[in-house]
Amino acid sequence: AAYEKAEGEKILVVKSAEAEAESKYLSGVGVAKQRKAIVDGLRESISEFASHVEGTNSKDIIDLLLMTQYFDMLKDIGAKPNCSTVFIPDEDV
C-alpha cells in the first residue's frame, strides 16, 4: 500500500511539473505575440504618419514616438501620490 501511495504522489508531482512547464511555455508564446503586435502597430503608425506628413523620415517619426512615450511615462510617475521614484536625467543627452 505504501508503494502505491508513493507512486501516486510521484505521478502528481510529475504532472504538476509538466503543467507548470506548459503554462510557462504558453505564457512565453503570449508575450511573443504581444511584442509582435506592438511592432506591427508601430510599423503601421510610422507608415501612416510618413504618408500624411511630407518631409519626414522613419527616424523623425520614431524619435517623436519615443518622446511621446517618455512624456507619458513622466506623467504616469507624477500622477501617483505616493510615488518614491527619483528621476535623474543623463547629462550626456
Side-chain angles (χ1 to χ4, degrees), residues 37-54:
I38 290 169
V39 169
D40 290 345
L42 282 172
R43 183 181 304 117
E44 184 179 319
S45 294
I46 290 168
S47 176
E48 186 176 327
F49 191 94
S51 69
H52 288 89
V53 180
E54 287 190 33

Side-chain angles (χ1 to χ4, degrees), residues 1-14:
Y3 175 77
E4 285 83 13
K5 182 179 179 184
E7 281 298 309
E9 289 174 0
K10 175 183 160 186
I11 290 171
L12 288 175
V13 169
V14 169

